[in-house]
Amino acid sequence: MKSDQELFLRTPVKKAVLRMAIPTVISSLVLVIYNMADTFFVGQTNDACQVAAVSLTNAVFVMYMAVANLIGIGGSAVISILLGQKEEKRAKEASAFCFYSALAVGLVAAVAILLGMDPLLRILGSTPDTWEFSRDYLFYIAVGAPFILLANAFGHVVRGEGAASASMLGGMIGTVANIILDPIFILTLDMGTAGAAIATVLGNVFGCVYYIYYLTRKSPLLSMHPRYLASCGRIARRVVSIGIPAGINSALMSISTVLLNNALVPYGDTAVAAMGIVTKVYMFIVFVHMGITNGIQPLLGYCHGAGAAKRFGSILRFSGALTVVCGTLLSGFYIAFAPGVVRVFIDDAQVIEYGAAMLVATSLAGPVLGLLFLTINSLQAMDRPVPATLLSLFRQGVFFIPLLFVLGRLFGLNGINFTQTTADYLAIVIALFLLVRALRQQRAVLAAQEA
């Protein structure tokens, strides 16, 4: 525990934040590249229908991420809090629960999707031109559900003990495998969307193998041994309650993606393909923000568990400034070079025209979006799941879904393009209000304890 105390409590704030955030940002970007690889290599077929099919079925992958985030981010937060309280056995119980629950949910998801494939494709917005492509992709993504959930959940869980580098390595192994396999299956073997899905699943299988190796041979404080499941009931409830905000945020992103794609169907498959590319590209900014804020969450959780409020505040301020700087640089690049960014994925004039306008509109919230994720992760680290959950509901549910219909009805395609940015700014205002209130309450509690 000495090394953990050194990192969590005594390492200078900037150094501690960067040590945790940089590997986590890399891990997050690895996941984005992982997800973008399918779209990129399918786009090399110059078939907008295949690109649209991957975009339509991406909602299922995002739903997987919702469950992985619920289990993984919830587990990471609980583990870091428990380690701050010197509860090492209970930290092992939390990691074992995360391992087996990810596998179990993955198996249930696989069976449910395979049994309900055709109705699900209709809900996702598949058209006659995209149906077979979508079905091919979804079949293999369903089969690989247990591996996808386990690999992505443990990308978060291992950071709970400060192992940001292990998280990064596990993600990179899967991504490198996917990038190598994608052109082989999609282009060389001419398997199209099915090949993209197979490459994605195999990449996650390799990631799972690494995390199992890490848990059994390398981890000093985590375990996947079944014996720790016997008394993990209370830990399980805590993991789920803290992880719900992250899960809800991703789940609502999946639902929003389905509704967004359905709203775009009247504008044609090219509009759906364009938004699919923009969504993947914009995730680069989103995941930089999430990488920074997820990376520092164990630091915040440990500080909260140890009662180190001053250090908690210093980490929060530096991380907030870091997200604004990174978000501003990336958003500026996207806005300045929007057509070229879309052209990287597909050489189709109409898709590029649609996509450039969509990317500019979506990127306008990029500079400050990190403050929303920072607030959600800070509230989770302070063991305040209710306000964190409300924030997740506001962004993609309370704001995005109604705005999609209202702005689309009033301003057509242009209104649809600005829906996410409008929802983001409204959610950020509420986030800052909730964060300030939570910090005041935290200081009041610590002052009462000291008195």
Side-chain angles (χ1 to χ4, degrees):
M1 285 294 293
K2 287 183 178 179
S3 62
D4 298 305
Q5 289 176 345
E6 183 68 30
L7 171 64
F8 288 135
L9 290 178
R10 290 189 285 273
T11 299
V13 166
K14 291 182 180 180
K15 184 177 179 180
V17 167
L18 293 176
R19 181 173 166 185
M20 291 296 289
I22 289 175
T24 310
V25 169
I26 293 173
S27 299
S28 298
L29 295 183
V30 160
L31 181 59
V32 175
I33 295 169
Y34 199 118
N35 206 240
M36 287 169 63
D38 288 351
T39 301
F40 174 79
F41 286 109
V42 170
Q44 302 314 295
T45 66
N46 287 321
D47 185 343
C49 288
Q50 291 198 54
V51 176
V54 173
S55 302
L56 290 167
T57 49
N58 185 59
V60 175
F61 194 88
V62 175
M63 190 62 77
Y64 286 172
M65 294 305 99
V67 178
N69 288 344
L70 186 154
I71 296 170
I73 293 177
S76 176
V78 168
I79 288 166
S80 63
I81 292 170
L82 290 172
L83 293 179
Q85 297 170 340
K86 309 299 186 291
E87 296 278 359
E88 294 185 30
K89 181 177 180 295
R90 295 178 67 200
K92 292 181 185 292
E93 293 173 357
S95 64
F97 166 75
C98 292
F99 185 89
Y100 291 102
S101 60
L103 276 181
V105 175
L107 289 170
V108 171
V111 173
I113 293 171
L114 291 173
L115 292 177
M117 181 83 70
D118 288 348
L120 180 56
L121 286 172
R122 284 191 286 272
I123 292 171
L124 293 173
S126 293
T127 64
D129 290 333
T130 60
W131 186 274
E132 288 303 319
F133 296 129
S134 298
R135 203 176 198 284
D136 289 343
Y137 191 86
L138 188 56
F139 174 81
Y140 291 104
I141 289 296
V143 171
F147 304 105
I148 296 171
L149 288 177
L150 182 60
N152 286 280
F154 266 79
H156 297 297
V157 170
V158 297
R159 288 199 304 270
E161 65 171 357
S165 295
S167 172
M168 177 183 69
L169 183 56
M172 288 184 69
I173 288 171
T175 299
V176 170
N178 189 35
I179 291 173
I180 292 172
L181 295 173
D182 258 339
I184 295 173
F185 287 129
I186 297 169
L187 303 176
T188 303
L189 299 179
D190 197 25
M191 296 179 68
T193 55
I198 293 170
T200 294
V201 171
L202 289 176
N204 280 280
V205 170
F206 292 134
C208 287
V209 170
Y210 171 76
Y211 287 123
I212 291 172
Y213 165 76
Y214 177 81
L215 286 172
T216 55
R217 299 295 181 89
K218 295 288 187 180
S219 175
L221 299 167
L222 306 181
S223 176
M224 55 177 278
H225 199 289
R227 71 170 177 268
Y228 289 108
L229 291 175
S231 56
C232 73
R234 189 172 64 168
I235 293 291
R237 288 191 293 272
R238 195 171 177 187
V239 167
V240 172
S241 66
I242 292 179
I244 279 176
I248 285 180
N249 184 55
S250 296
L252 287 173
M253 284 177 64
S254 178
I255 294 169
S256 299
T257 300
V258 173
L259 295 174
L260 179 60
N261 286 331
N262 278 276
L264 289 169
V265 166
Y267 298 94
D269 289 329
T270 51
V272 175
M275 184 58 81
I277 290 171
V278 168
T279 300
K280 297 286 181 71
V281 168
Y282 187 64
M283 290 303 288
F284 197 90
I285 295 178
V286 173
F287 274 60
V288 166
H289 289 314
M290 293 181 70
I292 294 170
T293 56
N294 288 342
I296 63 151
Q297 189 187 59
L299 295 175
L300 295 174
Y302 196 102
C303 290
H304 176 71
K310 183 177 179 181
R311 184 174 174 83
F312 186 103
S314 297
I315 292 169
L316 198 61
R317 287 189 295 273
F318 178 70
S319 302
L322 191 59
T323 65
V324 171
V325 170
C326 292
T328 300
L329 292 174
L330 290 170
S331 299
F333 177 82
Y334 278 177
I335 292 170
F337 302 102
V341 171
V342 179
R343 189 177 291 109
V344 168
F345 290 84
I346 189 169
D347 188 13
D348 183 297
Q350 191 173 14
V351 174
I352 293 169
E353 182 182 355
Y354 278 136
M358 292 170 175
L359 183 56
V360 170
T362 304
S363 298
L364 292 175
V368 292
L369 182 61
L371 299 178
L372 173 63
F373 298 123
L374 182 62
T375 299
I376 292 173
N377 280 275
S378 299
L379 293 170
Q380 289 173 311
M382 288 187 278
D383 209 354
R384 294 173 181 265
V386 174
T389 302
L390 288 175
L391 274 180
S392 297
L393 286 170
F394 279 133
R395 183 190 181 222
Q396 294 299 113
V398 175
F399 292 142
F400 182 90
I401 294 174
L403 284 169
L404 178 63
F405 293 104
V406 172
L407 296 180
R409 179 66 62 87
L410 293 176
F411 305 106
L413 182 59
N414 203 41
I416 293 173
N417 292 348
F418 279 92
T419 298
Q420 187 64 71
T421 291
T422 307
D424 285 346
Y425 273 105
L426 291 171
I428 289 164
V429 171
I430 294 175
L432 294 177
F433 169 77
L434 291 176
L435 180 60
V436 169
R437 188 177 71 169
L439 291 172
R440 286 175 178 171
Q441 291 173 345
Q442 181 193 55
R443 285 195 294 268
V445 170
L446 291 174
Q449 291 174 347
E450 290 174 359

